[in-house]
Amino acid sequence: MTDEQPEAENSIPATNGARPGALRLVVAALMLRGDEVLICQRRPDQPMALQWEFPGGKIEPGESPEAALARELNEELGIDATIGARVTHIRHNYRHGGAVDLQFFAVYEFRGALDNRIFNDVRWVKLEDLPGYDFLVADRGLIRDLALGKLL
């Protein structure tokens, strides 16, 4: 993906389908361990290859954001997470017309050992070091705020 800048919000129907131009409803975890957060690198065969993101995924129809995140963390990392408070909410519109509605939740506790089931790499990183990683463009404002200690 190119380093696209967000565009002004427009009226895009909310859906979790793969329709071009649709608004994708997504949840992600800020999994915290002291002053570190868990980050995940996309595989080389995925769109936005090798960029970093936080674990999570699409909200399925009829699913609450918290339930979706718990399901995704189990599917991606094999853990049973306790979903904490929502930390922030971001709407990002891409120039190609697609958009993502991201809700980020704190996760301080989980049961089970982390098992990387889908990512190229998974690592714990100090919050202040986050800007040194090539994150998805939709996450970059959040990355700056986390590194500056504005949200947690």
Side-chain angles (χ1 to χ4, degrees):
M1 171 186 341
T2 60
D3 188 19
E4 298 180 29
Q5 295 301 314
E7 294 180 351
E9 285 191 34
N10 53 25
S11 180
I12 299 174
T15 180
N16 284 337
R19 215 172 67 231
L23 177 63
R24 289 176 295 132
L25 304 177
V26 176
V27 287
L30 298 175
M31 293 183 58
L32 300 158
R33 183 179 73 178
D35 65 345
E36 295 178 317
V37 65
L38 189 76
I39 63 173
C40 305
Q41 187 181 44
R42 297 172 72 85
R43 293 187 322 264
D45 62 324
Q46 290 180 292
M48 299 165 277
L50 301 177
Q51 286 192 296
W52 292 88
E53 63 184 352
F54 296 101
K58 290 190 296 187
I59 301 172
E60 298 295 340
E63 201 172 35
S64 73
E66 294 86 351
L69 185 54
R71 175 185 49 76
E72 287 285 348
L73 293 174
N74 184 271
E75 290 173 3
E76 295 177 353
L77 300 170
I79 59 171
D80 180 15
T82 301
I83 309 303
R86 188 171 82 174
V87 175
T88 192
H89 184 199
I90 298 169
R91 167 85 51 97
H92 181 80
N93 296 302
Y94 293 99
R95 288 189 182 140
H96 62 70
V100 63
D101 182 271
L102 294 155
Q103 295 184 61
F104 292 88
F105 290 85
V107 173
Y108 294 99
E109 298 177 8
F110 62 88
R111 288 183 300 285
L114 289 175
D115 178 19
N116 178 7
R117 296 178 174 177
I118 66 162
F119 298 105
N120 188 60
D121 192 9
V122 173
R123 58 178 77 162
W124 292 100
V125 175
K126 288 186 179 287
L127 291 168
E128 63 197 35
D129 294 337
L130 288 173
Y133 291 84
D134 182 23
F135 271 86
L136 297 175
V137 69
D139 292 344
R140 292 180 186 165
L142 171 64
I143 295 306
R144 283 189 297 274
D145 288 347
L146 289 170
L148 293 171
K150 291 184 177 180
L151 295 174
L152 299 171

